[in-house]
PDB file of all heavy atoms in Angstrom:
ATOM      1  N   ARG Y  78      -3.453   2.296   0.055  1.00 95.00           N
ATOM      2  CA  ARG Y  78      -4.180   2.396   1.300  1.00 95.00           C
ATOM      3  C   ARG Y  78      -5.684   2.303   1.136  1.00 95.00           C
ATOM      4  O   ARG Y  78      -6.389   1.735   1.987  1.00 95.00           O
ATOM      5  CB  ARG Y  78      -3.983   3.810   1.905  1.00 95.00           C
ATOM      6  CG  ARG Y  78      -2.752   4.199   2.506  1.00 95.00           C
ATOM      7  CD  ARG Y  78      -2.841   5.676   2.872  1.00 95.00           C
ATOM      8  NE  ARG Y  78      -3.217   6.527   1.754  1.00 95.00           N
ATOM      9  CZ  ARG Y  78      -3.567   7.815   1.887  1.00 95.00           C
ATOM     10  NH1 ARG Y  78      -3.612   8.367   3.104  1.00 95.00           N
ATOM     11  NH2 ARG Y  78      -3.880   8.539   0.855  1.00 95.00           N
ATOM     12  N   ALA Y  79      -6.205   2.955   0.091  1.00 97.00           N
ATOM     13  CA  ALA Y  79      -7.644   3.205   0.029  1.00 97.00           C
ATOM     14  C   ALA Y  79      -8.483   1.927   0.110  1.00 97.00           C
ATOM     15  O   ALA Y  79      -9.611   1.947   0.618  1.00 97.00           O
ATOM     16  CB  ALA Y  79      -7.991   3.995  -1.232  1.00 97.00           C
ATOM     17  N   ARG Y 103       0.089   5.233  -6.855  1.00 86.00           N
ATOM     18  CA  ARG Y 103       0.209   5.616  -8.260  1.00 86.00           C
ATOM     19  C   ARG Y 103       1.163   6.789  -8.382  1.00 86.00           C
ATOM     20  O   ARG Y 103       0.952   7.828  -7.744  1.00 86.00           O
ATOM     21  CB  ARG Y 103      -1.183   5.989  -8.769  1.00 86.00           C
ATOM     22  CG  ARG Y 103      -1.311   5.912 -10.255  1.00 86.00           C
ATOM     23  CD  ARG Y 103      -2.730   6.117 -10.664  1.00 86.00           C
ATOM     24  NE  ARG Y 103      -3.179   7.480 -10.434  1.00 86.00           N
ATOM     25  CZ  ARG Y 103      -4.216   8.021 -11.046  1.00 86.00           C
ATOM     26  NH1 ARG Y 103      -4.915   7.302 -11.900  1.00 86.00           N
ATOM     27  NH2 ARG Y 103      -4.583   9.257 -10.798  1.00 86.00           N
ATOM     28  N   ASP Y 130     -10.530  -2.038  -3.993  1.00 98.00           N
ATOM     29  CA  ASP Y 130      -9.926  -0.709  -4.129  1.00 98.00           C
ATOM     30  C   ASP Y 130     -11.043   0.230  -4.575  1.00 98.00           C
ATOM     31  O   ASP Y 130     -11.715  -0.066  -5.572  1.00 98.00           O
ATOM     32  CB  ASP Y 130      -8.810  -0.745  -5.192  1.00 98.00           C
ATOM     33  CG  ASP Y 130      -7.984   0.529  -5.204  1.00 98.00           C
ATOM     34  OD1 ASP Y 130      -8.512   1.603  -4.824  1.00 98.00           O
ATOM     35  OD2 ASP Y 130      -6.814   0.468  -5.603  1.00 98.00           O
ATOM     36  N   ALA Y 134      -9.111   3.608 -11.971  1.00 97.00           N
ATOM     37  CA  ALA Y 134      -8.919   4.759 -12.880  1.00 97.00           C
ATOM     38  C   ALA Y 134      -8.307   4.278 -14.200  1.00 97.00           C
ATOM     39  O   ALA Y 134      -9.029   3.802 -15.079  1.00 97.00           O
ATOM     40  CB  ALA Y 134      -8.071   5.817 -12.185  1.00 97.00           C
ATOM     41  N   THR Y 135      -6.972   4.328 -14.329  1.00 96.00           N
ATOM     42  CA  THR Y 135      -6.359   3.772 -15.549  1.00 96.00           C
ATOM     43  C   THR Y 135      -6.434   2.256 -15.533  1.00 96.00           C
ATOM     44  O   THR Y 135      -6.288   1.612 -16.564  1.00 96.00           O
ATOM     45  CB  THR Y 135      -4.867   4.160 -15.657  1.00 96.00           C
ATOM     46  OG1 THR Y 135      -4.144   3.530 -14.586  1.00 96.00           O
ATOM     47  CG2 THR Y 135      -4.666   5.669 -15.579  1.00 96.00           C
ATOM     48  N   GLY Y 136      -6.584   1.696 -14.331  1.00 97.00           N
ATOM     49  CA  GLY Y 136      -6.573   0.237 -14.189  1.00 97.00           C
ATOM     50  C   GLY Y 136      -5.176  -0.313 -13.947  1.00 97.00           C
ATOM     51  O   GLY Y 136      -5.001  -1.521 -13.786  1.00 97.00           O
ATOM     52  N   SER Y 138      -3.173  -0.103 -11.291  1.00 96.00           N
ATOM     53  CA  SER Y 138      -3.022  -0.757  -9.980  1.00 96.00           C
ATOM     54  C   SER Y 138      -3.750  -2.099  -9.961  1.00 96.00           C
ATOM     55  O   SER Y 138      -3.206  -3.105  -9.482  1.00 96.00           O
ATOM     56  CB  SER Y 138      -3.570   0.143  -8.870  1.00 96.00           C
ATOM     57  OG  SER Y 138      -2.991   1.419  -8.938  1.00 96.00           O
TER      58      SER Y 138
HETATM   59  C1  PRP F 301      -5.455   5.346  -5.984  1.00 97.24           C
HETATM   60  C2  PRP F 301      -6.586   4.352  -5.857  1.00 97.24           C
HETATM   61  C3  PRP F 301      -6.091   3.173  -6.655  1.00 97.24           C
HETATM   62  C4  PRP F 301      -5.338   3.838  -7.771  1.00 97.24           C
HETATM   63  C5  PRP F 301      -6.245   3.900  -8.978  1.00 97.24           C
HETATM   64  O1  PRP F 301      -4.460   5.055  -5.072  1.00 97.24           O
HETATM   65  O2  PRP F 301      -6.918   4.027  -4.539  1.00 97.24           O
HETATM   66  O3  PRP F 301      -5.241   2.309  -5.909  1.00 97.24           O
HETATM   67  O4  PRP F 301      -4.987   5.149  -7.321  1.00 97.24           O
HETATM   68  O5  PRP F 301      -5.563   4.383 -10.072  1.00 97.24           O
HETATM   69  P1  PRP F 301      -5.182   3.485 -11.333  1.00 97.24           P
HETATM   70  O6  PRP F 301      -6.390   2.688 -11.689  1.00 97.24           O
HETATM   71  O7  PRP F 301      -4.852   4.516 -12.385  1.00 97.24           O
HETATM   72  O8  PRP F 301      -4.009   2.637 -10.975  1.00 97.24           O
HETATM   73  P2  PRP F 301      -3.372   6.138  -4.601  1.00 97.24           P
HETATM   74  O9  PRP F 301      -2.172   6.142  -5.507  1.00 97.24           O
HETATM   75  O10 PRP F 301      -4.047   7.472  -4.437  1.00 97.24           O
HETATM   76  O11 PRP F 301      -2.870   5.568  -3.226  1.00 97.24           O
HETATM   77  P3  PRP F 301      -3.605   5.516  -1.796  1.00 97.24           P
HETATM   78  O12 PRP F 301      -4.591   4.399  -1.865  1.00 97.24           O
HETATM   79  O13 PRP F 301      -2.470   5.260  -0.864  1.00 97.24           O
HETATM   80  O14 PRP F 301      -4.284   6.846  -1.540  1.00 97.24           O
END
Side-chain angles (χ1 to χ4, degrees):
R78 287 174 306 169
R103 201 173 69 159
D130 190 333
T135 66
S138 307

